[in-house]
Amino acid sequence: MEIDAHGSFNCSKAVFDKYMKDHGGSIVNITATLHHRGVPLQTHAGSAKAAIDAMTRHLAVEWGQHGIRINCVAPGPIDDTEGMRRLGGAKLKQQTGSMEALTFRTIPAGRLGTKEDIANGALYLVSPAGSFVTGTNLIVDGGHWLTQNTTVVLGRL
């Protein structure tokens, strides 16, 4: 909670007070999809990400009058990141035989995401193309959250 929820709020509040209250702008918070479905052993992270989503919606309403848009990007499984290493990417690869087998079974887009995919989502939200988007969570995960199976993990607890 300290890093995710409080950190996101404190950064948003600081930029609001120091600049955006008078000049407007766009804020993009980073969240996840852990709270859309229950995920074993992720209560702390899912709760913190849910708080970021709620904060984003509330601040979009509260700060909209100042010309501020605030949104979230929720990355999915992103290749070659610390998140994949920490959340068991190597173990999943070992269990399924290959990361490709895993992605084709669990990600409708058929591949892991890239850092550029996430950057492009954020770029859309801050660009003129996203100028009428506020208070939303842009899920950038190739459809993974729609098919995520937690029963595999439950059987191993």
Side-chain angles (χ1 to χ4, degrees), residues 70-108:
I70 182 165
N71 293 289
C72 296
V73 169
I78 305 301
D79 198 17
D80 194 31
T81 62
E82 187 64 23
M84 280 298 287
R85 285 186 284 281
R86 286 184 182 218
L87 295 175
K91 188 173 184 177
L92 289 171
K93 184 176 181 177
Q94 181 183 27
Q95 290 172 348
T96 61
S98 74
M99 199 54 95
E100 289 76 26
L102 173 71
T103 59
F104 284 114
R105 280 201 319 247
T106 64
I107 303 173

Side-chain angles (χ1 to χ4, degrees), residues 51-74:
I52 293 171
D53 283 7
M55 177 197 71
T56 296
R57 288 188 300 272
H58 288 280
L59 292 179
V61 172
E62 187 177 328
W63 293 351
Q65 65 183 324
H66 299 284
I68 299 168
R69 295 180 306 105
I70 182 165
N71 293 289
C72 296
V73 169

Side-chain angles (χ1 to χ4, degrees), residues 22-40:
D22 297 322
H23 301 97
S26 182
I27 296 170
V28 177
N29 290 314
I30 304 299
T31 186
T33 59
L34 296 169
H35 55 287
H36 294 289
R37 304 173 78 164
V39 178

